[in-house]
Amino acid sequence: RERNTRDPEIICTMLKVLQQLVTSADMVGEALVPYYRQILPIFNLFKTKQNKDNASDRIDYSQQKRTNVADLIEETLEVFETHGGDDAFINIKYMIPTYESYCLK
């Protein structure tokens, strides 16, 4: 139920936990790939929303505190791609068409 929340504070915590989970042991990232269809839709929703919200010139201190949802989503997707094995990128790209490969940069 919590993965369907729209509360940015809960989303930030969830993203940090997912990053820790994926990096906690070998093969955890690959084991999560089949669940991307359940995990990633909320990422896409917030990524689109945050990009619109971040279009202003005001100073955003949330980046320093790691509470910026869009930045944490990008970090988490990079961790998923890096640790998710050969199929990770194509599955991320399927669910989030605007995602650009971190590994190809």
Side-chain angles (χ1 to χ4, degrees), residues 1-2 7 9-10 20 25 31 34 36 45 49-50 56 58-59 61 64 68-69 81 86 90 96:
R1 186 177 84 84
E2 297 304 327
D7 182 339
E9 188 175 331
I10 292 173
Q20 288 181 329
Y36 283 2
L45 176 76
K49 180 184 181 304
Q50 288 292 94
S56 72
R58 62 182 155 74
I59 296 174
Y61 293 103
Q64 294 173 339
N68 182 292
V69 177
E81 182 182 0
D86 295 337
I90 194 72
I96 304 175

Side-chain angles (χ1 to χ4, degrees), residues 33-95:
V33 172
Y35 300 97
Y36 283 2
R37 290 182 187 215
Q38 287 78 37
I39 298 169
L40 297 181
I42 195 75
F43 286 29
N44 200 24
L45 176 76
F46 266 87
K47 192 171 187 218
T48 305
K49 180 184 181 304
Q50 288 292 94
N51 284 340
K52 290 177 185 172
D53 292 346
N54 287 343
S56 72
D57 288 336
R58 62 182 155 74
I59 296 174
D60 185 8
Y61 293 103
S62 65
Q63 293 171 337
Q64 294 173 339
K65 300 176 192 170
R66 290 194 75 219
T67 57
N68 182 292
V69 177
D71 289 346
L72 281 170
I73 287 171
E74 201 61 38
E75 281 179 30
T76 305
L77 290 173
E78 289 172 5
V79 170
F80 279 11
E81 182 182 0
T82 304
H83 293 46
D86 295 337
D87 296 329
F89 172 72
I90 194 72
N91 282 281
I92 293 169
K93 188 71 171 175
Y94 179 77
M95 296 303 296

Side-chain angles (χ1 to χ4, degrees), residues 10-43:
I10 292 173
I11 297 293
C12 286
T13 302
M14 178 192 69
L15 292 167
K16 291 173 189 175
V17 168
L18 283 170
Q19 287 180 23
Q20 288 181 329
L21 176 68
V22 169
T23 58
S24 66
D26 290 342
M27 306 301 288
V28 173
E30 290 184 43
L32 280 180
V33 172
Y35 300 97
Y36 283 2
R37 290 182 187 215
Q38 287 78 37
I39 298 169
L40 297 181
I42 195 75
F43 286 29

